[in-house]
Amino acid sequence: MQPNDLDPTGSGVVTFVNRFTVHASAEEFEKAFAETGRYLADRDGFLRYTLHRHAEDPTRWVNIAHWRDAAAFRAAVGSPSFAPHAAAVRRLGTSEPGLYVPRQYVSGEWAATEDR
């Protein structure tokens, strides 16, 4: 994401954050999630995702995905062909999803050049 991607109207890049509590094995969850990720990567507007596991609690995970805009995200997850992927992941845990609009952006490079 670049600073010029920040659009306060919400018509630019959006971030989807989904926090999971997983009751299956890490391997099973990662496999199901990877299949879902491959499906979403082929959808129009998908930019990237990262899946993180909590450093101290192996049952807690977070997915952070970036999309070109909210409409592209909604079209992808609203497609009937997405339902089996969502169901496969939901069988393995519970989730708290949310769509977010970027409001601030700071990079290490920028921070290193700022006069403090």
Side-chain angles (χ1 to χ4, degrees), residues 65-77:
H66 296 99
W67 289 80
R68 180 187 63 227
D69 53 43
F73 168 77
R74 289 186 181 109
V77 299

Side-chain angles (χ1 to χ4, degrees), residues 3 105-116:
Y105 175 86
V106 176
S107 71
E109 181 178 297
W110 176 82
T113 62
E114 280 298 298
D115 210 12
R116 296 188 189 254

Side-chain angles (χ1 to χ4, degrees), residues 47-77:
L47 301 175
R48 66 191 153 274
Y49 85 84
T50 57
L51 180 64
H52 305 263
R53 187 173 72 182
H54 193 280
E56 297 171 351
D57 182 350
T59 67
R60 292 169 45 196
W61 298 72
V62 174
N63 169 44
I64 301 169
H66 296 99
W67 289 80
R68 180 187 63 227
D69 53 43
F73 168 77
R74 289 186 181 109
V77 299

Side-chain angles (χ1 to χ4, degrees), residues 19-100:
R19 188 172 70 173
F20 296 92
T21 301
V22 175
H23 55 259
S25 72
E27 294 79 17
E28 187 177 11
F29 181 70
E30 287 183 3
K31 180 180 177 192
F33 203 91
E35 291 173 13
T36 300
R38 282 190 293 278
Y39 168 85
L40 291 171
D42 287 337
R43 305 287 75 89
D44 181 48
F46 175 85
L47 301 175
R48 66 191 153 274
Y49 85 84
T50 57
L51 180 64
H52 305 263
R53 187 173 72 182
H54 193 280
E56 297 171 351
D57 182 350
T59 67
R60 292 169 45 196
W61 298 72
V62 174
N63 169 44
I64 301 169
H66 296 99
W67 289 80
R68 180 187 63 227
D69 53 43
F73 168 77
R74 289 186 181 109
V77 299
S79 169
S81 60
F82 178 68
H85 294 281
V89 172
R90 286 186 189 125
R91 278 193 296 273
L92 305 174
T94 58
S95 68
E96 297 175 39
L99 194 60
Y100 296 83

